[in-house]
Amino acid sequence: ASSSQRAGSDGGTGACWPEARSEVRFQMPVTVGPYGQSQPNCFDRVKMGFMMGFAVGMAAGALFGTFSCLRIGMRGRELMGGVGKTMMQSGGTFGTFMAIGMGIRC
């Protein structure tokens, strides 16, 4: 068959629909990773949500804690303790809310 007979309704480019669909048919499903592992279970998702929230909360706590402690005049060891306390509080709070949100999504 010549390319004009094979082309059909694609405008004469020579490509044909069954060949285009065969590429899609052999792709891996989204839910399976490259080594065949399945998606994480609900507890792993909640744990990952807490860790992500804790990291973001620690960063925000470092930023806001530094400014607030410097504003009230803390220096040296007192500054480090105040910033650390603020980082832990905001990390724990935001991590808890992220874990709850991930638990709701399970």
Side-chain angles (χ1 to χ4, degrees):
S2 68
S3 63
S4 63
Q5 291 173 344
R6 212 172 7 130
S9 63
D10 65 349
T13 60
C16 110
W17 281 103
E19 291 172 5
R21 278 188 278 143
S22 66
E23 293 175 11
V24 175
R25 188 180 325 141
F26 295 114
Q27 288 181 350
M28 294 284 291
V30 177
T31 58
V32 178
Y35 300 107
Q37 72 265 35
S38 61
Q39 287 187 343
N41 60 12
C42 193
F43 179 73
D44 289 335
R45 289 180 188 220
V46 170
K47 191 168 57 173
M48 181 62 74
F50 180 80
M51 290 190 299
M52 287 190 305
F54 194 82
V56 171
M58 289 272 283
L63 193 67
F64 294 126
T66 301
F67 289 130
S68 66
C69 288
L70 285 174
R71 189 181 62 201
I72 63 173
M74 289 185 178
R75 296 285 184 258
R77 187 180 300 257
E78 190 180 26
L79 175 67
M80 289 295 115
V83 171
K85 181 180 174 184
T86 306
M87 287 173 68
M88 293 300 287
Q89 285 176 342
S90 62
T93 302
F94 198 75
T96 301
F97 284 115
M98 281 289 288
I100 292 169
M102 290 301 284
I104 290 172
R105 288 187 62 190
C106 281

